[in-house]
Amino acid sequence: MQRLLLFFFVLGYFYSAQAQIEGYWDKERAFSKEISVTASERLILSIDELPPGTTELVYRITLLDDNQKTTNSLISVLKAIPDPTGISQGSAGAILLLSKIAGDDQCTYAIFSNSDEAKNYKQNGSTKKACWVQPMPVSKDARRLTVSSTSCFSTHILWFGFDSANWIMDQRILVEVVPWVNSKLSTGWTSNAKNEVIDLCASTDLAQQLAPSQAYCGCVLERITAKYTYAEYTKLLAAEKAKAYSENSAICFVETNGEALRYANQQQLRESFIAEKKFGEAIKQSLVLLDSPKTTSADYTTLGWLYVVTKQYDKALLYLHQAVAKVPTDLTAQVTLAHAYLFHDDFQQAKAIYKKYQAQNVNEQLSWKAKVEQDFAEFETLGITNSNYKRVIRMLE
C-alpha cells in the first residue's frame, strides 16, 4: 500500500504543471457533510452548487459506526491525483484510495440533477430518472463522474438519495464531493452565454451597417468576456451593460476597420437604390455617405447626378462644384456639371465645359463625346428632355 501511495504521489507531481494550466480541484468549494439516515428509510441531500466550469467531480460515501472516523479528507487524498482527463488509468486507480475506512452498515444510493426527481425518490424509491445509481448495498463507495459519462452535470446542483439497508439501526453517512474545474470554462462563458452578447451586438444599428459583422461582434465578445465572468456580466445594471458595450464597441469599430466596411456597405445600398430608380432614397443615402471620412469626389458627383435626374438643379450645381473642387481632373464630375448648367438654362456655362474637354477621354475606353451622347440618351429614358441636345452634339463634331 505504501508503494502504491508513493506511485500516485510521484505521478501527481509529474503532471501538476499541466493540470494547473488545464484546471484544478476546487478545494475552496469542496463539500463535506455527515448525515444520519433513520433505519429502513430514505433521505435526500443536496450538495452545494457546483462552480462554473465543473467538468468532473469525485465523491466519496462512507458509512460509519459510532466509534469510527475517516482518517483523511477527500480533498487531501486528491492532492495526489493529477488532471483526471490526462491520465484516466491513474485516477481510476487512485479512486481505490478514496475510502480509508467504513463500517459494517450498508446502503444503496442514487444521484439526481433535479430536485423534483430527488423528492420522488424519497417518496417511492424510484431511480428511473437518476443520473447515477448504486443498486447494490455498499458500506463505502468512491467514484469519478464526468460530463461525457453522465447527465449529472445538466444543472449546477446535485441531490444524493440514500436508502438504508439496516432495518434496525440508524446509519451515519459521510458524503464528500470535490469538483474539478476547467480553467477555460470557469468564467461561465458557455456557447449559449456568448451567443447572448453576439445576438445583442448583431441587433444594433452599427452592426447592421457593418454586415457581415462577425469580426466586429467577435471583437466585442472577446473584450467583454476578458473583462467579466458570465456571472459578473449578468449582474450588471442595464446602464452598466450599455456603458461596457459602448466602450468596447468604439474600440472594436477601429480595430476591425469598421469605417471602411460601413462606407462600402453604404455605397452598395446607394447603388441598389439607383438601379431600382428609387432616386429619393438614393439621395438620402448619398447624404449619409458625405459624413464618412472615406467620402470621395465621386460621391459628390453621384449626388449631383441624382439631383439632376430629379430636376433639383441648384442643389446639383452646389455638390458638383464641390466634386470638381476636390478633383478638377475628374471628367465625370465635369461633364455632369455641364449637364446641370444645361438644364439650369445657362447654356454658355455648359458650352464652355463641353468645349473645354471635347478632345479628351473621360476614361481609357470612353471619349468625351461618347459620354455626352450616352448621358443624353439616359436622360431621355428618364423623361428629361432639352431642345439643346442636338446642338451640343453638333458642337462636339
Side-chain angles (χ1 to χ4, degrees):
M1 179 62 73
Q2 289 181 344
R3 291 181 179 179
L4 188 60
L5 282 169
L6 179 61
F7 168 78
F8 283 114
F9 177 81
V10 173
L11 199 57
Y13 180 81
F14 178 80
Y15 282 93
S16 61
Q18 179 180 352
Q20 289 173 3
I21 295 174
E22 299 294 334
Y24 55 93
W25 294 112
D26 194 340
K27 63 181 181 180
E28 299 300 326
R29 281 179 280 192
F31 176 86
S32 178
K33 188 171 183 178
E34 184 177 317
I35 59 174
S36 178
V37 182
T38 303
S40 72
E41 291 190 358
R42 286 184 292 271
L43 178 145
I44 57 173
L45 170 70
S46 65
I47 68 169
D48 295 339
E49 184 172 355
L50 296 173
T54 299
T55 57
E56 315 194 14
L57 62 82
V58 169
Y59 69 86
R60 176 171 66 176
I61 295 171
T62 311
L63 276 73
L64 302 175
D65 292 336
D66 288 339
N67 296 324
Q68 290 176 324
K69 298 179 180 179
T70 54
T71 58
N72 294 91
S73 69
L74 177 58
I75 189 61
S76 66
V77 177
L78 286 173
K79 289 180 180 179
I81 304 176
D83 179 350
T85 60
I87 49 170
S88 59
Q89 290 183 345
S91 60
I95 291 295
L96 298 176
L97 305 177
L98 297 182
S99 287
K100 288 285 187 174
I101 189 170
D104 295 328
D105 279 352
Q106 293 183 330
C107 73
T108 61
Y109 69 89
I111 304 175
F112 301 86
S113 58
N114 181 284
S115 61
D116 291 335
E117 294 165 2
K119 292 175 183 177
N120 188 47
Y121 166 83
K122 183 178 181 180
Q123 292 175 358
N124 56 36
S126 174
T127 59
K128 289 183 179 180
K129 295 185 178 181
C131 60
W132 181 265
V133 178
Q134 173 52 265
M136 300 298 296
V138 293
S139 60
K140 59 182 178 180
D141 204 7
R143 295 185 182 275
R144 167 178 165 242
L145 303 180
T146 70
V147 169
S148 60
S149 66
T150 178
S151 61
C152 289
F153 296 85
S154 59
T155 61
H156 292 296
I157 299 179
L158 296 180
W159 287 262
F160 281 75
F162 297 95
D163 192 346
S164 174
N166 191 323
W167 289 82
I168 302 175
M169 304 290 291
D170 293 350
Q171 294 180 327
R172 291 167 53 221
I173 303 176
L174 177 62
V175 181
E176 298 169 279
V177 180
V178 182
W180 171 267
V181 178
N182 181 295
S183 296
K184 291 183 179 179
L185 300 179
S186 62
T187 60
W189 286 107
T190 63
S191 296
N192 289 338
K194 290 179 179 179
N195 282 334
E196 289 182 23
V197 178
I198 292 292
D199 291 343
L200 175 62
C201 174
S203 68
T204 63
D205 291 339
L206 181 56
Q208 292 172 16
Q209 293 173 18
L210 301 179
S213 59
Q214 288 91 335
Y216 165 71
C217 288
C219 174
V220 172
L221 173 65
E222 183 178 355
R223 296 186 65 85
I224 287 180
T225 54
K227 185 174 182 180
Y228 303 101
T229 66
Y230 181 64
E232 291 171 340
Y233 175 77
T234 56
K235 291 178 182 178
L236 293 177
L237 299 176
E240 292 173 323
K241 281 186 179 180
K243 182 176 182 293
Y245 185 86
S246 177
E247 291 173 348
N248 291 302
S249 173
I251 295 171
C252 289
F253 182 76
V254 175
E255 288 184 355
T256 59
N257 201 17
E259 189 58 61
L261 181 58
R262 177 168 65 180
Y263 174 71
N265 286 342
Q266 289 174 339
Q267 278 190 318
Q268 185 177 9
L269 181 58
R270 179 193 63 193
E271 295 307 312
S272 68
F273 285 139
I274 292 176
E276 296 171 5
K277 293 183 172 54
K278 296 180 179 179
F279 298 131
E281 295 297 323
I283 287 173
K284 292 178 183 177
Q285 191 61 37
S286 294
L287 291 171
V288 170
L289 273 165
L290 297 190
D291 292 331
S292 171
K294 299 287 185 179
T295 300
T296 66
S297 64
D299 294 316
Y300 284 87
T301 300
T302 300
L303 180 56
W305 182 86
L306 287 166
Y307 279 129
V308 167
V309 298
T310 55
K311 300 181 181 181
Q312 301 179 74
Y313 304 125
D314 287 330
K315 292 179 180 178
L317 289 170
L318 172 66
Y319 288 104
L320 289 167
H321 277 297
Q322 293 182 60
V324 169
K326 286 180 175 293
V327 184
T329 57
D330 183 352
L331 295 194
T332 300
Q334 293 285 3
V335 74
T336 309
L337 178 60
H339 300 332
Y341 276 125
L342 182 66
F343 295 126
H344 198 258
D345 293 330
D346 195 341
F347 184 79
Q348 292 306 314
Q349 288 277 20
K351 177 182 176 180
I353 299 173
Y354 285 133
K355 293 290 289 182
K356 182 176 180 179
Y357 300 104
Q358 70 180 75
Q360 298 191 44
N361 281 359
V362 175
N363 56 48
E364 63 275 7
Q365 295 179 340
L366 187 64
S367 70
W368 176 265
K369 179 185 175 185
K371 172 63 174 171
V372 172
E373 291 176 330
Q374 186 182 86
D375 287 351
F376 285 171
E378 184 175 8
F379 289 143
E380 287 186 329
T381 63
L382 295 173
I384 303 172
T385 59
N386 190 283
S387 59
N388 290 310
Y389 284 165
K390 293 181 179 179
R391 182 180 176 185
V392 171
I393 298 300
R394 287 195 302 270
M395 182 175 64
L396 300 177
E397 294 294 343

